[in-house]
Amino acid sequence: KKANQDHCRWPDRELVRVQDLTPEKADQLIWLRARVHTSRAKGKQCFLVLRQQQFNVQALVAVGDRASKQMVKFAANITKESIVDVEATVRKVEQKIESCSQQDVELHVERIFVISQAEPRLPLQLEDAVRPDGEGEEEGRATVNQDTRLDNRVIDLRTTTSQAVFRLQSGVCQLFRDTLTKKGFVEIQTPKIISAASEGGANVFTVSYFKTSAFLAQSPQLYKQMCICADFDKVFCVGPVFRAEDSNTHRHLTEFVGLDIEMAFNYHYHEVIDSITDTMVQIFKGLRDNFQTEIQTVNKQFPSEPFKFLEPTLRLEYTEAVAMLREAGVEMGDEDDLSTPNEKLLGRLVKEKYDTDFYVLDKYPLAVRPFYTMPDPSNPKYSNSYDMFMRGEEILSGAQRVHDAQLLTERAIHHQIDLEKIKAYIDSFRYGAPPHGGGGIGLERVCMLYLGLHNVRQTSMFPRDPKRLTP
Amino acid sequence: KKANQDHCRWPDRELVRVQDLTPEKADQLIWLRARVHTSRAKGKQCFLVLRQQQFNVQALVAVGDRASKQMVKFAANITKESIVDVEATVRKVEQKIESCSQQDVELHVERIFVISQAEPRLPLQLEDAVRPDGEGEEEGRATVNQDTRLDNRVIDLRTTTSQAVFRLQSGVCQLFRDTLTKKGFVEIQTPKIISAASEGGANVFTVSYFKTSAFLAQSPQLYKQMCICADFDKVFCVGPVFRAEDSNTHRHLTEFVGLDIEMAFNYHYHEVIDSITDTMVQIFKGLRDNFQTEIQTVNKQFPSEPFKFLEPTLRLEYTEAVAMLREAGVEMGDEDDLSTPNEKLLGRLVKEKYDTDFYVLDKYPLAVRPFYTMPDPSNPKYSNSYDMFMRGEEILSGAQRVHDAQLLTERAIHHQIDLEKIKAYIDSFRYGAPPHGGGGIGLERVCMLYLGLHNVRQTSMFPRDPKRLTP
């Protein structure tokens, strides 16, 4: 252990990466650090599979010139998931090793050190955690349920599937920011502790704040809008969003990551829709082009159709959607909101008709949107607001915002909102505010739906819901 | 107003940007949207200064062929900070207009529309808000105090200084992430609502969480470390960090943005220090090379020396620092922590001796560091931990972490920490954990100190401290 604290005495060894173990390295003596993925002793030999993230290689410790009987025994006793340093010769193999990512070579181990020893009983087995549902059932092979996974997230995150999911998620954030930065957007940081519940007070977490109390922001919207009023013109932010909603569904979390956009526009709020849809398209293309390995890795465990999108993005009006649903037998009024099952049905109808998994639904009924939504000037029953959908589920809600203090006051009164509580919000628009709009995207939902997964907890590293606060 | 809601009837006009108004555009008829920065009526003429962020241009409305007396009167009555659309001819001027960023042209206005009217009384004047301290005092000119600025942040953020500060801050985040992504780090998202106070329970905000209570994370450290134990190898995150500390100083906030790094290393924790210092150097270089305009804009109001750094970064050991301080007359024991005044003094001594504003102080006394800090294996009074300083103030605290469950338990007992409360933390290391280390950087401090500012509230858009929760 002391060796891990200060290795001044150690040589400046190069550690080879498992993915670089190819026949070109044959007969070289190398050092490697990896986890013991599996271990199997067999007479005077011990076969190990050594793993680094999604890559693994077979290693052989055999009694002979370089290894003693004691060493083979020592190797055989190393617990699974322990981290080891090995010195070994790379050897080409006659027959491909089908069970490893490095199929053409194996390692002949000369020295082996345990860097960190895992406890002998693992709370879950990695091979069970990556098994597709139903596979191997007749042999009595287990899969791992979600609570066991989440309770032991440190181990569950080591699977090839988890590694792929969260590397892709990192990619979504990067693509989002890079696209917007190229479009001239400025990144902002907005406070999460706020003094008043911006959206009326429902579903908000309360925080003790010294001698008073405060709230956790349900969205950065007020602050994004203040930045627009402060001449930043186009802004984005990436950060946690909190919803004290007692919803125990496959797609609700009490804390999630919001990818938020807000921008001033010149003449029409469709300029905002175009900016957002183009950003989404750049994300989809970036994932398709740069994360194919990750997508395929996830698909092995959770098969799904490739994600389809159009350019330009399909934009439907709410009235068109209602007509499509009615044609499919749904009974609903013009100004009724979409239920979750109807959203999903609509997604299927849109997919059939237009062959896309991504589209915008524009011009929602004014009555079902928040008070700060700009009414449609040509039809006061509707509004300049929109949702965006992936595989039939909502990933973004957005709108042109009312930027005039007087109209905003009128709308708040209409919604019976206490004006005193939103005074600071309304005052932000008193000193000149450009027309503007935006929206908030849920990162975990985008990842879930892009990959065709079925639970948002699969794309949140450490999910929070009404029943889960750990780890 | 209606025109801002749905401009379908509007022509698809190109709006020219103020910064593009140069003599090449002379005699062109253009459209422009901007704020009325100042307005001065003079007989049959009205001179406006129109502003977009840090750029502005003079515009003339004069009675004649294109403009009526009524129009001049209308223009003269537009309140400052209102947003207007103007149609105007660009004209070269004989004499440079010193007061504007566009000195070689002015606009001869033919039409003017108010897009958004500002209230006539502004809570603060932009020209006061950018005035350097002391300037114009004899003429009785005002500057704006910090609370007035923060109370009216939407207007204060419109100043050239604020625009520059927060565009530079956006740059720091981008440089941080781009540098680490190039080094193979993965971005992670960590939860902010946590079930147990990771660092013992002091200075933590409590949240009501359905029928129980929870806490706001004081740092993402546990989650960064779990990701290392989960084979992500090198991770970073950017997000809010919460400290319920009743500190009312120039450098403490109750919510700030943490730029966090954690990585496994091979042989020595100095690999971690090298990664972090190189990241900081890439940030400093990126700011120097790409944000010179912003730096100079801030310097106009808040003069400071250019920020100096060395390559490679200077690394001093704690014992050397104590010796330097003693030589300068400070009395302190070998294992005493550094007081804030002594940190500042040390910064000045280091600057004199080594000519750098950035350095690392390594090998802190074990006694002054948290329980999870790895002891120095060659001298148990010290530890494998470090702070980093800019202009004599701490911007990062970091260490090699204890990655062995048994040693961690011993250290926690030594610090009299309730083992039950940190069970999940300790358990993370039971299934194989590589040696690792990291640190957390305060974004607002980095921006403040790089720019030579004197209050962290200047580099937080909407600062939170024990006395401020708004806007």
Side-chain angles (χ1 to χ4, degrees), chain A residues 1-2 4-8 10-11 13 15 33 35 51 53 81 83 115-119 121-123 154-155 157-158 162-163 166-167 169-170 173-174 177 181 186-195 205-210 214 216 223 226-227 229-233 240 242 244-246 254-255 257 265-269 374-377 384 400 403-404 407 428 430-435 443 461-462 464-466 468-471, chain B residues 1-2 4-8 10-11 13 15 33 35 51 53 81 83 85 115-119 121-123 154-155 157-158 162-163 166-167 169-170 173-174 177 181 186-195 205-210 214 216 223 226-227 229-233 240 242 244-246 254-255 257 265-268 374-377 384 400 403-404 407 428 430-435 443 461-462 464-466 468-471:
Chain A
K1 202 174 304 149
K2 210 166 180 184
N4 296 332
Q5 292 177 354
D6 190 325
H7 298 184
C8 285
W10 283 47
R13 278 178 201 152
L15 290 173
R33 179 171 298 174
R35 283 194 193 272
R51 186 185 85 235
Q53 287 105 33
E81 294 299 305
I83 298 173
I115 296 295
S116 175
Q117 174 103 16
E119 297 207 348
R121 266 187 73 89
L122 294 172
V154 165
I155 299 173
L157 288 175
R158 292 178 192 169
S162 295
Q163 290 282 322
F166 292 101
R167 283 164 199 272
Q169 185 179 84
S170 171
C173 292
Q174 200 189 338
R177 288 183 306 244
T181 302
V186 175
E187 180 177 8
I188 58 169
Q189 305 291 339
T190 67
K192 305 308 163 196
I193 302 181
I194 57 174
S195 62
F205 288 113
T206 307
V207 186
S208 300
Y209 197 80
F210 302 100
L216 290 182
Y223 294 95
M226 286 174 74
C227 289
C229 296
D231 290 348
F232 282 94
D233 197 38
F242 306 93
E245 210 176 329
D246 198 2
T254 52
E255 176 180 345
V257 177
F265 63 81
N266 293 338
Y267 299 122
H268 199 288
Y269 77 99
M374 184 65 89
D376 180 343
N384 288 359
Q400 177 179 355
H403 62 280
D404 177 86
L407 179 57
S428 306
R430 295 197 187 279
Y431 305 103
L443 172 63
M461 266 196 177
F462 304 100
R464 295 292 180 256
D465 65 33
R468 179 173 289 280
L469 260 174
T470 54
Chain B
K1 204 172 305 152
K2 210 166 181 182
N4 296 332
Q5 291 176 353
D6 189 327
H7 297 183
C8 285
W10 282 47
R13 276 178 203 153
L15 290 173
R33 179 171 299 174
R35 284 194 192 273
R51 186 185 86 235
Q53 287 105 31
E81 295 300 307
I83 298 173
D85 272 9
I115 296 294
S116 175
Q117 173 102 18
E119 297 207 346
R121 267 187 73 88
L122 295 172
V154 165
I155 300 174
L157 287 175
R158 293 179 191 168
S162 295
Q163 290 282 323
F166 292 102
R167 283 163 199 274
Q169 185 179 80
S170 173
C173 292
Q174 201 190 338
R177 287 184 306 245
T181 302
V186 175
E187 180 177 9
I188 58 169
Q189 305 291 339
T190 68
K192 305 308 165 197
I193 302 181
I194 57 174
S195 62
F205 287 114
T206 307
V207 185
S208 301
Y209 196 80
F210 302 100
L216 291 182
Y223 295 94
M226 285 174 75
C227 289
C229 295
D231 289 348
F232 283 94
D233 197 38
F242 305 93
E245 210 177 328
D246 198 3
T254 53
E255 177 181 344
V257 177
F265 63 80
N266 294 337
Y267 300 122
H268 200 288
M374 184 65 89
D376 180 343
N384 288 358
Q400 177 179 355
H403 62 281
D404 176 85
L407 179 57
S428 307
R430 294 196 189 280
Y431 305 104
L443 172 63
M461 266 195 178
F462 304 101
R464 295 292 179 255
D465 65 32
R468 178 173 290 279
L469 259 174
T470 56

Side-chain angles (χ1 to χ4, degrees), chain A residues 121-269:
Chain A
R121 266 187 73 89
L122 294 172
L124 60 88
Q125 302 300 320
L126 269 78
E127 58 270 32
D128 295 340
V130 293
R131 186 167 292 129
D133 270 343
E135 192 179 289
E137 255 173 9
E138 60 276 20
E139 298 114 88
R141 286 195 175 150
T143 51
V144 182
N145 75 37
Q146 188 162 270
D147 276 328
T148 305
R149 286 179 190 280
L150 295 179
D151 288 342
N152 301 283
R153 197 58 157 160
V154 165
I155 299 173
D156 184 50
L157 288 175
R158 292 178 192 169
T159 65
T160 48
T161 305
S162 295
Q163 290 282 322
V165 165
F166 292 101
R167 283 164 199 272
L168 180 133
Q169 185 179 84
S170 171
V172 171
C173 292
Q174 200 189 338
L175 288 160
F176 175 79
R177 288 183 306 244
D178 288 354
T179 304
L180 291 169
T181 302
K182 269 186 216 138
K183 288 177 189 286
F185 281 70
V186 175
E187 180 177 8
I188 58 169
Q189 305 291 339
T190 67
K192 305 308 163 196
I193 302 181
I194 57 174
S195 62
S198 51
E199 311 215 2
N203 301 333
V204 62
F205 288 113
T206 307
V207 186
S208 300
Y209 197 80
F210 302 100
K211 284 169 186 157
T212 176
S213 62
F215 305 98
L216 290 182
Q218 290 161 290
S219 97
Q221 194 188 316
L222 166 56
Y223 294 95
K224 289 190 301 179
Q225 290 192 260
M226 286 174 74
C227 289
I228 298 303
C229 296
D231 290 348
F232 282 94
D233 197 38
K234 300 170 178 183
V235 298
F236 71 89
C237 54
V238 176
V241 169
F242 306 93
R243 303 276 164 92
E245 210 176 329
D246 198 2
S247 297
N248 296 279
T249 78
H250 76 286
R251 62 181 193 150
H252 285 89
L253 294 171
T254 52
E255 176 180 345
F256 63 90
V257 177
L259 307 175
D260 268 273
I261 292 178
E262 200 75 24
M263 62 180 271
F265 63 81
N266 293 338
Y267 299 122
H268 199 288
Y269 77 99

